[in-house]
């Protein structure tokens, strides 16, 4: 049964407490068709009276997809339109993000994910959130956004009996969602447990052929060097990093199996430029 056509008020994203929240821009009572009930009763072809939901309810489901991510309040204004590219690489990254969103949402063949990489403060998270915002609010596509560091902390807490949330309960939605966006890949202490968690997540999404997007502050341009060959690869990498100096590349930070799958799953998009936070151009610092 088709949903009742009902004028949908604009949806806005506002800062609310610690998070940003998608909400209707006008009260539900102003809907002239359903008077805020998000549908109306009507008789079907067999004469039964049934409740027909209106488009406003569909919009509410989309807002629930967005709000479930609990995005920090400083990103309430993060959209494609508010991203201000400087260098050519930022303009290309913005174009790529827009193109991915439109092609995937309309089923025109966006089969691979994206991995935005580059120095801090160049807008990688902004672009990832713009994709997330559009996929959920504009198209209603099941999509999850997670900060990699926060995910690890939540998983550690799940080992405590009093937490009441199992590791499987935290991981399963990330494995099964249609589109997953992982922010700040490589953030952490690079322990064997962290790599096992990441390998499990990526392997399961890889095997299911699901779309995954990433951002990382690490370079994808590896510096060739000899790594340890002990029983604990994560410990070996940290030992070599401490003698080498400087940040390791993404390939050096992750297990070779994980990095190999990332190469197949994603197009790597370099985002260069000055730190938006240092220049005062970060979206959270702008004023209307």
């Amino acid at each position: 049964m088709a949903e009742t056509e009902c004028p949908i008020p604009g949806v806005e994203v506002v800062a609310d407490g610690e998070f940003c929240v998608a909400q209707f821009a006008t009260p539900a009572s102003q809907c002239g068709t359903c008077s805020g009930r998000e549908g109306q009763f009507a008789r079907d072809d067999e004469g039964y009276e049934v409740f027909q939901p209106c488009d406003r309810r569909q919009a509410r489901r989309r807002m629930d997809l967005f709000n479930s991510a609990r995005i920090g309040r400083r990103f309430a204004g993060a959209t494609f339109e508010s991203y201000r590219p400087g260098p050519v690489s930022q303009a290309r990254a913005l174009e790529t993000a827009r193109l991915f969103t439109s092609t995937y949402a309309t089923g025109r063949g966006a089969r691979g994910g994206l991995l935005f990489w580059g120095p801090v403060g160049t807008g990688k998270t902004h672009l990832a959130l713009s994709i997330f915002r559009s996929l959920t609010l504009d198209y209603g596509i099941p999509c999850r956004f997670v900060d990699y560091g926060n995910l690890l902390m939540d998983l550690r807490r799940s080992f405590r009996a009093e937490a009441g949330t199992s590791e499987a309960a935290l991981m399963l939605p990330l494995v099964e969602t249609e589109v997953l966006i992982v922010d700040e890949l490589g953030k952490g202490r690079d322990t064997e447990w962290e790599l096992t968690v990441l390998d499990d997540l990526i392997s399961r999404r890889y095997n299911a052929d699901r779309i995954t997007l990433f951002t990382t502050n690490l370079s994808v341009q590896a510096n060739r060097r000899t790594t340890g060959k002990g029983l604990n690869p994560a410990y070996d990498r940290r030992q070599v990093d401490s003698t080498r100096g400087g940040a390791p590349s993404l390939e050096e930070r992750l297990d070779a199996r994980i990095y190999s799958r990332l190469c197949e799953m994603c197009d790597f998009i370099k985002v260069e430029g000055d730190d938006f936070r240092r220049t005062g151009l970060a979206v959270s610092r702008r004023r209307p």
Side-chain angles (χ1 to χ4, degrees):
M1 179 177 297
E3 292 185 340
T4 303
E5 291 188 2
C6 184
I8 302 177
V11 172
E12 61 183 6
V13 177
V14 299
D16 184 10
E18 297 180 22
F19 308 103
C20 56
V21 176
Q23 61 184 27
F24 289 120
T26 56
S29 59
Q30 293 186 15
C31 176
T33 302
C34 70
S35 301
R37 295 188 299 270
E38 298 186 359
Q40 59 185 341
F41 285 95
R43 294 193 178 277
D44 62 13
D45 295 338
E46 298 180 356
Y48 293 99
E49 190 174 45
V50 296
F51 183 79
Q52 296 180 336
C54 71
D55 291 340
R56 188 183 181 96
R57 178 168 294 188
Q58 180 185 26
R60 184 175 296 281
R61 287 196 292 265
R62 295 182 176 189
M63 291 191 298
D64 289 342
L65 288 173
F66 178 88
N67 292 337
S68 65
R70 297 171 69 83
I71 305 299
R73 61 176 288 127
R74 70 170 53 251
F75 295 108
T79 64
F80 290 130
E81 291 73 25
S82 64
Y83 184 80
R84 298 177 182 174
V88 173
S89 67
Q90 292 182 5
R92 289 175 177 169
L94 175 60
E95 181 182 2
T96 299
R98 285 182 180 274
L99 181 62
F100 168 85
T101 303
S102 62
T103 54
Y104 183 81
T106 55
R108 296 200 305 256
R111 295 299 306 155
L114 303 173
L115 188 150
F116 296 104
W117 69 277
V120 298
T122 53
K124 300 180 297 297
T125 298
H126 187 138
L127 291 172
L129 283 172
S130 298
I131 294 173
F132 172 76
R133 179 170 177 157
S134 183
L135 289 179
T136 53
L137 295 181
D138 296 338
Y139 299 102
I141 292 174
C143 180
R144 285 184 174 265
F145 182 97
V146 60
D147 178 277
Y148 181 59
N150 290 342
L151 171 63
L152 294 175
M153 287 191 292
D154 290 341
L155 289 173
R156 289 192 187 96
R157 294 191 190 102
S158 73
F159 284 105
R160 304 173 187 169
E162 69 270 20
T165 303
S166 69
E167 181 177 348
L170 290 169
M171 290 291 286
L172 191 60
L174 303 182
V175 171
E176 294 186 341
T177 189
E178 184 173 337
V179 178
L180 173 65
I181 302 175
V182 180
D183 193 34
E184 296 208 40
L185 179 64
K187 178 182 179 181
R189 292 178 294 178
D190 193 24
T191 65
E192 199 65 23
W193 175 80
E194 291 177 358
L195 292 177
T196 299
V197 168
L198 182 61
D199 180 60
D200 178 57
L201 176 61
I202 291 180
S203 294
R204 292 168 72 179
R205 291 193 62 82
Y206 172 86
N207 292 333
D209 197 24
R210 293 194 172 102
I211 297 296
T212 313
L213 292 80
F214 304 89
T215 74
T216 182
N217 294 328
L218 300 176
S219 171
V220 301
Q221 297 170 341
N223 295 298
R224 298 301 175 189
R225 58 197 172 103
T226 302
T227 58
K229 297 182 180 179
L231 296 178
N232 190 330
Y235 175 79
D236 291 338
R237 280 190 294 272
R238 291 196 301 275
Q239 288 297 100
V240 175
D241 290 341
S242 66
T243 60
R244 172 179 175 271
S249 70
L250 185 64
E251 181 178 5
E252 293 163 336
R253 189 71 182 269
L254 304 180
D255 183 83
R257 165 180 152 118
I258 298 175
Y259 187 79
S260 175
R261 290 188 169 174
L262 290 178
C263 290
E264 183 176 349
M265 294 170 68
C266 302
D267 290 331
F268 287 20
I269 311 300
K270 188 175 184 179
V271 188
E272 298 178 293
D274 295 330
D275 188 338
F276 284 141
R277 302 181 188 98
R278 290 174 179 261
T279 60
L281 294 177
V283 66
S284 60
R285 295 283 303 279
R286 297 178 199 157
R287 298 292 183 268

